[in-house]
Structure formats: C-alpha cells, structure tokens
Amino acid sequence: MDARLKELVDLTKKQWGLTDYYLGRHRLFRRLMLAGETIYFLNMEWFPNKYANWIDEEENPAGTASIDINIHTKEFHSAIFVQGLTYAKNGIVFPNKDVEEVKEWLANFTGLKIEKDFICKKRAERELYFQEQWNGVPLSPSVSIEVEFNEKGELTFYSQNISVLSKRKDLEEEYTLSLSSPIEAIAREQVVLAKFPQDDGTIIVYGVEETFIRNDQKGTVPFILDKGIPKIVNKEIVWQNTKRDNFERKYLQWDDEVSVEDAYSRVPHPDSLPITDEEVEKCMQGIIEFLQMKYPHESGKWMLKYLNRENSYLHANLEKAASKSLFAEKILIFLDNEGNVINYMDKKDLWDKIMDTKDDEQKEIKVSKEEAYNKLKPYFTLTPYYVFDSGDNKWVLCGKFDCDYFVDVESGEVSRLEDSFLIY
C-alpha cells in the first residue's frame, strides 16, 4: 500500500476506534463539487474481526464500517456502520443522546461554527439533520451534516457535504424581494398544469413550479441539479428525412475509481471540462440521427435545452417545444465524447408507467390558467435563499417562489399539498 494511503488508514482506525476491525477493501474515487473543484476520497471498508477473511463482494456483514476521507485535507466525508451496529472501541458515543451533545461534538470534529451557521432541520429519535444557513438564509443546493446513533448513543452514521463551501465568498446584499414587488410575470409563468397522485389514480391540477427569482429581479436562476458545468443551448431540432430504426441501447459504464498517481496529482475530473461549441455540434448531429429513428415525425417539435457532463458521458436534456400533451415531455439522451448516442430515457413514458395515467388526456379542464393564478395568489410564498448559479460559478441571493396549494382543473377547488407531490 502507498505510504500516503497507509497514513490515512492508520488515522481512520484511531479516529473511529476500529481496534476490533481489519481493512477488508479500499479504493480511491473522485467527486466533482459545485464550484468545479475535484475532490479525491479514499473509501475504506472495515470488517469486524469476527468476520475474518470475508469474501462476499455483494454484501457486507453487520457492523462493517464504510468510511470516506478526503485524501488531501484528511477530513472525513462519511462513516457508515452497516445495520446500525458498531464494534468500535472508544469510538464516538453520545451518552445523553441529545442535540446539544451532537452539536458540541460536530464543532470539535469539523472546526465549524455549528451553533451559529447550522440549524437542526430534522430531529428524529436518534437521527439529526443539520442544514447550513448564511446570515440566517438557507442554501440551495443544501449544505448539510447528518448524524445517527443507536440506542446506546453510539454513532452509526455520519455524512457531510460541507467541502462545497471552500470557494464561497461572503455576500453582503440586502434582500429586497417581496410578493408585492414586480415579479408578477415570473409568478404567472410558474403556474402550470400538473399531475397529482392519489390512491385511486391521479387528478389534473394547476400548481406552482418552484423557481428561484434573483434578488436584483433580473430573472431566475436555472434549477439544474445535474453535475458538471451546463452548456445552455436552447436550440430547435429540425431534420428533413427519417431513418430506419436500428438503434441499440448500450450499457452505461460508470466507474469513478482512480489511480494513486492521478489522485495525488489532483488530475481534474473529466466532468469539469467545459463543453465546446464543436462538441455541441457533434452532439446535435448525433441527436438528430437518433430522433430520426425513434421520433421520426416530430421534426421541429423538440428543443435541446442544455448539455452537461456526468460520469464521463455527455447528457443532452431535450424538451418538447409545443407539446399537445398536457405535460412537458422530456428526453434525457446519453452520448459519448464523439457525439454518438449510447442510451436514452423518455421521462414522459417513465412517469406514465409509474402513474398509470392513460386516461388523463380525456379529463376536461374547466378552470383557466388565469383563474387558477388568482385562486393560488393568496398562498404564494417567497423565501430568501442563497442559490449556487453554475453559469456564474457563484452563490446568488434569491427568493424561492413556491406554493403549498393546488387547484383542481375540474372543480376549481383549492387544496393543500401536504406530503404529496406534483408531476409536471
């Protein structure tokens, strides 16, 4: 084993009290963070000594400790004890099993100002979820720490994604947005038709598609959760001829394991590379050929919204420009670096199978969008958030525009969403 890895292994064994464990497996992998930074981790699977010579690669025995550590900063990213069982000696224990005790440990363990910068968003019997706030304002995507312990108070789960904050700069900006400010055009645009699941099927409703409105009122921050830096395209896809359908799906190989040399040389993650105009053109040609086979009579009906890299593939996000369907139709296409289509996922077909919504199109819409907007308007919410804008590569102060109510398109009745969800 490389001496640098051996040092991390020894540190881990001491930190987590793994005297009665042996290192069964280990590997190096990398992750691309929000700001485009590549972080390298060592994953270790520690098996209890009672399971000597464990060889099953599909399943780990109860009590196994799976631990990830940042190889450069030596910060622990996660520690998971299988089935909530631990054989650690002198490990992390919370005798009182309360939130203040956990906060104190986190402050010492991470060096963060837990009391000032984090709020406890979830507090189950033995599970705590802390979410970072910035001057009292939450972040999106959320920056969080999760801790779980067993009935003895022994830590059995720890996970954090706080490393994304390494390039964050303080923002001193006064939040000025309000529902009375001139955001009506954006608000109207966010009222959309949606499917609402119920025990006996689905109903069609008007709901609000949440969005983040910039504090400077210069538009919205795109709600893109995909990895990699997106390349916004917004281009209509048009072709003249159809092609015989001989498309064959290929298996997607997602292997993020890396060598010791690449890890310690800090080789940038392939997904961090910007997408060039030449790559866009290659992808466009590949997408056209694919659509000519799978959607031959829909020329001009699809838009390439954006491209992004993930797991060394290019992901093309398509949306129907003017669908006759009640709901936006979307396709996610996977391409190799030469622009060849490898696989795809038609999201409408997927949701139709899950929701069994074959009769939705026959339902009569008796309420107009304008009527729905006026009914929902009293329930609109606008909450301050710092949102990471992947285009500008920085955190931006925004207002999260949302609504916890919906309008039935047949009865016009207004109801609360509660724990349900909308399918747009």
Side-chain angles (χ1 to χ4, degrees):
M1 177 183 288
D2 184 276
R4 292 165 294 188
L5 298 185
K6 181 65 165 58
E7 180 184 355
L8 296 175
V9 169
D10 293 342
L11 173 63
T12 302
K13 187 168 188 175
K14 180 180 179 181
Q15 173 65 52
W16 298 96
L18 304 178
T19 303
D20 289 343
Y21 284 77
Y22 69 96
L23 182 61
R25 289 190 286 262
H26 70 280
R27 69 185 185 97
L28 287 164
F29 69 97
R30 59 190 168 195
R31 288 285 182 268
L32 183 64
M33 311 311 286
L34 280 178
E37 180 184 12
T38 302
I39 303 295
Y40 282 89
F41 296 98
L42 171 65
N43 169 256
M44 295 159 280
E45 292 183 346
W46 295 82
F47 299 144
N49 288 338
K50 64 184 294 184
Y51 298 105
N53 303 315
W54 184 269
I55 59 174
D56 188 347
E57 295 188 4
E58 299 298 323
E59 184 178 356
N60 289 334
T64 297
S66 178
I67 299 175
D68 294 343
I69 185 173
N70 183 320
I71 68 168
H72 296 293
T73 65
K74 300 181 181 178
E75 295 173 328
F76 288 98
H77 183 74
S78 66
I80 303 168
F81 290 85
V82 174
Q83 295 184 25
L85 178 64
T86 174
Y87 296 99
K89 285 188 175 180
N90 300 318
I92 292 89
V93 182
F94 307 111
N96 300 320
K97 293 176 279 190
D98 62 33
V99 65
E100 294 304 322
E101 193 175 28
V102 175
K103 281 183 179 180
E104 183 179 355
W105 174 76
L106 283 174
N108 293 327
F109 186 65
T110 65
L112 296 171
K113 298 177 181 178
I114 301 296
E115 197 67 47
K116 175 180 181 295
D117 296 331
F118 284 80
I119 55 175
C120 189
K121 295 290 289 186
K122 179 180 180 182
R123 189 181 306 188
E125 183 180 1
R126 294 192 294 268
E127 180 181 349
L128 299 172
Y129 180 84
F130 299 88
Q131 193 175 75
E132 184 164 17
Q133 55 184 4
W134 190 356
N135 296 327
V137 177
L139 308 176
S140 180
S142 64
V143 178
S144 59
I145 303 174
E146 190 170 355
V147 175
E148 295 179 24
F149 46 85
N150 60 22
E151 65 280 357
K152 297 178 182 178
E154 299 169 321
L155 185 142
T156 56
F157 184 93
Y158 168 77
S159 179
Q160 55 93 339
N161 65 341
I162 53 180
S163 58
V164 298
L165 298 180
S166 59
K167 291 187 176 180
R168 192 187 68 182
K169 296 180 180 178
D170 288 340
L171 293 178
E172 296 297 334
E173 182 180 349
E174 182 183 357
Y175 181 72
T176 57
L177 284 180
S178 70
L179 290 172
S180 60
S181 58
I183 61 169
E184 184 174 357
I186 296 175
R188 287 180 182 276
E189 191 68 23
Q190 298 310 118
V191 175
V192 295
L193 284 165
K195 299 174 185 177
F196 185 77
Q198 288 187 326
D199 293 337
D200 57 350
T202 61
I203 61 173
I204 297 175
V205 303
Y206 284 103
V208 169
E209 187 173 17
E210 69 178 34
T211 192
F212 292 103
I213 303 174
R214 291 177 179 270
N215 189 50
D216 57 15
Q217 299 185 32
K218 293 181 179 179
T220 61
V221 175
F223 196 72
I224 298 176
L225 294 177
D226 301 304
K227 297 178 181 178
I229 302 172
K231 176 80 170 182
I232 307 299
V233 180
N234 288 328
K235 188 173 182 180
E236 185 182 56
I237 307 173
V238 180
W239 60 89
Q240 299 299 323
N241 304 310
T242 62
K243 287 193 174 186
R244 183 172 63 88
D245 186 0
N246 60 3
F247 177 78
E248 293 184 7
R249 296 176 187 262
K250 297 182 179 64
Y251 180 71
L252 299 174
Q253 298 180 335
W254 292 344
D255 185 7
D256 60 359
E257 190 166 348
V258 295
S259 67
V260 174
E261 292 74 20
D262 283 353
Y264 280 99
S265 297
R266 298 177 183 258
V267 174
H269 197 296
D271 293 348
S272 68
L273 297 174
I275 298 173
T276 66
D277 292 338
E278 181 181 358
E279 287 177 308
V280 173
E281 288 303 314
K282 285 183 179 179
C283 288
M284 183 63 79
Q285 288 304 312
I287 292 167
I288 289 175
E289 291 180 9
F290 167 79
L291 293 176
Q292 285 174 312
M293 290 186 284
K294 304 302 293 185
Y295 301 82
H297 305 299
E298 298 185 8
S299 174
K301 296 182 179 180
W302 290 97
M303 294 277 293
L304 173 56
K305 302 296 288 185
Y306 66 92
L307 290 164
N308 67 285
R309 297 187 195 274
E310 186 169 348
N311 297 310
S312 299
Y313 290 99
L314 286 160
H315 291 195
N317 294 267
L318 276 62
E319 189 170 313
K320 217 157 194 183
S323 175
K324 292 182 180 179
S325 169
L326 292 174
F327 312 101
E329 297 180 51
K330 300 178 182 180
I331 305 174
L332 175 61
I333 297 178
F334 306 91
L335 306 100
D336 63 21
N337 290 320
E338 297 303 315
N340 302 307
V341 176
I342 305 298
N343 211 321
Y344 75 102
M345 181 173 64
D346 188 318
K347 297 185 178 181
K348 183 178 184 299
D349 287 348
L350 176 64
W351 280 119
D352 283 349
K353 289 177 182 177
I354 295 174
M355 305 288 289
D356 190 21
T357 56
K358 55 183 177 293
D359 296 327
D360 283 352
E361 304 295 337
Q362 301 173 8
K363 295 182 179 179
E364 184 179 358
I365 298 178
K366 299 179 180 179
V367 178
S368 69
K369 180 175 179 177
E370 181 66 20
E371 289 174 313
Y373 173 83
N374 290 325
K375 286 176 178 285
L376 292 173
K377 191 173 182 179
Y379 305 104
F380 290 162
T381 59
L382 194 63
T383 310
Y385 264 82
Y386 281 107
V387 183
F388 188 80
D389 186 340
S390 54
D392 292 337
N393 199 34
K394 68 178 184 179
W395 294 89
V396 179
L397 183 59
C398 296
K400 179 184 178 181
F401 178 74
D402 204 358
C403 182
D404 290 334
Y405 291 79
F406 64 89
V407 177
D408 188 301
V409 299
E410 293 183 294
S411 67
E413 182 181 352
V414 179
S415 301
R416 188 177 176 85
L417 281 171
E418 296 179 344
D419 296 328
S420 300
F421 59 96
L422 299 179
I423 307 298
Y424 297 104

